[in-house]
Amino acid sequence: MTTALLPRKALHITAMVLPLAGWTLHTTLLHRRLTAAHRDPLTGTWRREAFTTRAQRLLERYPDEAVLVLADADHFKRLNDTRGHAAGDTALAAIGARLTEWSGPRGVAGRLGGDEFAALARIEPRHQQLRLAHLARLVSRPVPYEGGLLPLAVSLGAATPTAVTSTGLPALMRAADAAMYEGKHAGGVVQARPDHARVPSVNGRRLGRPGTAVRGRAA
């Protein structure tokens, strides 16, 4: 009697498992699509909104270890004009990959738009100077392109909650952006001071940069 019921019981269990397996596959695919929608397709970094959410979360959890960096490609328009947009895309992809590598699995890297990037890494205070120096060397390495090397220059500004006396992401982005502009085209990383956080800005970008509003008009 018990043996006769086994096939029926097995069918019942299979009928329960199949919809569950189908739902698991559906949710997995949905998660991948949502993740892809929040990623920049060229560089693989997070888009601005997704980066902001993750960076603020890390700042709140690890304020003593957080290091925020803003990066801006130097002479990017000239690169596009002289070498073509494919070369420009190659440079952007390299910057995104290097910031992702630098921030590591415990950090986050994002493309804010155009040739502007941001990265937040968790670094113990005693190692922060060395890691920032390493980043400056990393992003300035030439990029292999069409059998040769594509020169790459990136301006960098860094801000920490300790230096800026704030754990708010807008304040850190404003400070890092102002520090980066202060050392534009100079190489290396300019580290933000408290006064950098007081520079007027729009969405964390120094007022007057392209795309920010000035007296109601686009700058």
Side-chain angles (χ1 to χ4, degrees):
M1 184 69 174
T2 304
T3 304
L5 290 175
L6 283 176
R8 185 180 300 173
K9 186 176 181 180
L11 286 172
H12 180 64
I13 293 173
T14 301
M16 293 176 62
V17 170
L18 284 176
L20 181 60
W23 175 250
T24 301
L25 178 61
H26 172 73
T27 53
T28 300
L29 291 174
L30 180 61
H31 175 72
R32 289 177 179 173
R33 287 173 183 170
L34 288 172
T35 299
H38 289 93
R39 293 275 192 180
D40 174 56
L42 175 62
T43 65
T45 58
W46 295 102
R47 297 181 190 270
R48 176 186 283 271
E49 185 176 350
F51 168 81
T52 299
T53 300
R54 287 161 175 78
Q56 184 62 64
R57 189 182 304 143
L58 287 170
L59 274 170
E60 292 169 355
R61 292 181 180 177
Y62 311 102
D64 296 333
E65 300 179 2
V67 180
L68 176 74
V69 170
L70 257 65
D72 203 21
D74 292 339
H75 311 297
F76 185 68
K77 184 179 184 301
R78 184 191 305 171
L79 175 65
N80 270 333
D81 291 344
T82 58
R83 302 293 295 269
H85 289 285
D89 287 349
T90 299
L92 293 177
I95 295 171
R98 292 170 183 183
L99 287 173
T100 299
E101 176 188 340
W102 179 79
S103 57
R106 300 193 306 167
V108 59
R111 184 182 181 190
L112 304 182
D115 59 339
E116 297 178 65
F117 294 82
L120 189 144
R122 286 178 54 195
I123 309 170
E124 292 182 24
R126 61 196 177 102
H127 297 313
Q128 289 176 2
Q129 296 282 350
L130 288 174
R131 288 286 304 279
L132 286 171
H134 169 69
L135 175 62
R137 293 191 299 270
L138 181 66
V139 297
S140 63
R141 292 175 184 168
V143 184
Y145 180 69
E146 292 187 343
L149 291 175
L150 195 66
L152 188 61
V154 181
S155 293
L156 299 164
T160 64
T162 301
V164 179
T165 65
S166 173
T167 57
L169 184 61
L172 262 72
M173 290 186 69
R174 179 165 57 247
D177 184 73
M180 177 185 68
Y181 179 75
E182 184 177 290
K184 189 69 175 166
H185 308 308
V189 183
V190 179
Q191 298 188 50
R193 305 180 303 269
D195 59 289
H196 284 129
R198 296 190 290 271
V199 173
S201 70
V202 176
N203 293 328
R205 303 167 74 231
R206 182 181 47 80
L207 192 62
R209 284 179 60 115
T212 58
V214 179
R215 296 180 182 177
R217 293 181 298 176

